[in-house]
Amino acid sequence: MRTLGTVGEAAGFRTTAASPLVLVPTMGALHDGHAALIDAARMRAGREGTVVVSIFVNPSQFAPGEDLARYPRTLEKDMDVCLRHGADAVFIPSAEEIYPPGDSTIVEETELARGLCGAARPGHFRGVCTVVAKLFNILRPHTAVFGEKDYQQLAVIRRMTRDLFLPVEIMAHPTVRDSDGLALSSRNRYLDADGRERARHFPAALQNARALAEQGETSVSKITATARDGITAGTGSAPEYVELVDAESLQPLTRLDRSAVLAAAVRIGETRLIDNLRLNPPDGKV
Ligand code: PAF
């Protein structure tokens, strides 16, 4: 496995690599969810292709006061995960390489990025789009793999890729969960034992709301109230948001009459968790 430490090395690697190249962009602190993304990338690339994992804690997607400084950094373990799951190279640039002095260009998706997490974290998706566009331009992957846990991020990146005619296939991978349902996230390691116990009620509340929809409920206010009340009662924290949105446009719905996503965020102590579930209308029409 090659370690690519600079933009020059990464760009050079691409020109000599066999096709196709599949990229897994990460911020490190890799867990089994990332491992599943790397496995999927390996499958997509096949024997002839090349899998590159980027590990870069991107400062521009953190607002002042967020957890940039304490974001978990576990490089040695991350390298081991990449190696064991068949990555061919790991790209680990410095912040100065990605944002050199004088860097003054941003990439912003202006529609899908507005609600949900975008409302609570202004500028977050601008940082994500800017770094992902840079990674795409440096490595020129054929395919890039993203997890569905960050559903809005996935939608925003798909839209950016489409709008900017970036020649990259965006591949989604289902959320990987712990045995009690909690979606795997690098931020789960911030939780202490009490927080971790409270956290398991978060996905459970979303599942209860989905069960209500599966029983025929189409009123979005009733579905989201079930989720909101369950999250508040189970985790001891009122959610930052609970919304049922159109799966494509991310626009809030009033009736569950199309393919939708139930998305939520909650803070348990200092730890902000997000999750989402797909919901279909009761008659199955999507
Ligand atoms: O999902 C993440 O880890 C990050 O937002 C990403 C896509 C690697 C961009 O920094």
Side-chain angles (χ1 to χ4, degrees), residues 191 194-196 198-200 202 235 237 266-273:
L191 296 166
D194 174 59
R196 180 62 188 77
R198 288 161 58 196
R200 75 184 171 84
F202 180 31
T235 68
S237 306
V266 65
R267 263 177 208 284
I268 298 189
E270 295 283 287
T271 309
R272 185 174 183 276
L273 301 177

Side-chain angles (χ1 to χ4, degrees), residues 25-27 34 54 56 58 61 71 124 127-128 131-132 135 146 150 153 157:
T26 81
M27 298 207 300
H34 293 112
S54 62
F56 179 61
N58 173 35
Q61 68 189 76
Y71 197 83
H124 169 68
V128 170
V131 79
V132 170
L135 292 170
F146 296 89
D150 299 299
Q153 169 172 283
I157 290 171

Side-chain angles (χ1 to χ4, degrees), residues 163-210:
D163 289 352
L164 297 182
F165 301 97
L166 301 178
V168 183
E169 173 200 32
I170 304 301
M171 189 171 138
H173 190 277
T175 302
V176 179
R177 297 179 181 279
D178 248 335
S179 54
D180 63 0
L182 183 65
L184 297 190
S185 162
S186 302
R187 291 189 166 95
N188 291 356
R189 65 187 81 193
Y190 295 151
L191 296 166
D192 61 15
D194 174 59
R196 180 62 188 77
E197 161 57 26
R198 288 161 58 196
R200 75 184 171 84
H201 297 282
F202 180 31
L206 296 181
Q207 276 153 21
N208 285 342
R210 179 160 70 180

Side-chain angles (χ1 to χ4, degrees), residues 20-24 44 136 141-145 167-171:
L21 190 144
V22 184
L23 172 65
V24 184
R44 185 79 184 85
F136 285 1
H142 297 87
T143 304
V145 190
V168 183
E169 173 200 32
I170 304 301
M171 189 171 138

Side-chain angles (χ1 to χ4, degrees), residues 49-74:
T50 304
V51 173
V52 180
V53 179
S54 62
I55 298 178
F56 179 61
V57 183
N58 173 35
S60 74
Q61 68 189 76
F62 291 81
E66 288 190 343
D67 57 343
L68 172 62
R70 71 179 186 121
Y71 197 83
R73 286 155 171 94
T74 58

